[in-house]
Amino acid sequence: MKTPLLSATTVALLALTACQSKTATTVDNATTTNTTTTETKKPIVLPPSIKSEATYRCHGDNSLVHVTFYSDDKSASVQSPPGSQPVALAADAAGKPLTATGGWSLTGDAKTIKLTRPGKDAMSCDK
């Protein structure tokens, strides 16, 4: 009696595995054309990192200014007074004055800067 039961179990298992082994068929439509275009990708340019930050005391009105210089040497941000909304300044090339709309201008380095703010004269500021 073991033989017919074993044969019936084997046939049932074979039937179940045959049901689950479906093959996927792909049909290509002659009217559909797939075009692949290869685009030349531009290199990803990351924003510059912070090179230095400092708070400066300006001669003339004795005000404080917080300046962040960036590693590309073509951009900086100024907060005048510190804690206010920062103003982004930029230059076309490294070494040129950093400017922003409204009359902002900044030159100098991490020790001493010359800053022009809207409606005010240029003044020298030190750390």
Side-chain angles (χ1 to χ4, degrees):
M1 280 211 200
K2 290 184 181 180
T3 307
L5 183 59
L6 184 61
S7 298
T9 306
T10 307
V11 170
L13 287 175
L14 285 173
L16 286 175
T17 46
C19 290
Q20 291 181 354
S21 63
K22 294 180 181 177
T23 59
T25 58
T26 305
V27 178
D28 286 334
N29 190 350
T31 59
T32 305
T33 58
N34 294 331
T35 57
T36 305
T37 58
T38 304
E39 296 179 22
T40 55
K41 294 185 179 181
K42 295 179 183 176
I44 297 173
V45 179
L46 298 174
S49 60
I50 294 175
K51 185 176 183 179
S52 67
E53 287 186 298
T55 301
Y56 297 88
R57 173 79 59 185
C58 295
H59 305 285
D61 65 354
N62 209 28
S63 62
L64 289 174
V65 177
H66 184 81
V67 180
T68 303
F69 290 100
Y70 296 101
S71 62
D72 63 354
D73 294 327
K74 297 187 294 185
S75 58
S77 65
V78 175
Q79 292 177 313
S80 175
S84 65
Q85 184 69 24
V87 176
L89 291 96
D92 294 334
K96 301 244 179 172
L98 304 169
T99 59
T101 57
W104 289 88
S105 178
L106 174 72
T107 56
D109 55 23
K111 292 183 180 182
T112 303
I113 62 169
K114 185 176 180 183
L115 178 67
T116 304
R117 293 178 277 187
K120 297 187 178 183
D121 292 334
M123 61 180 76
S124 178
C125 307
D126 297 322
K127 262 187 171 177

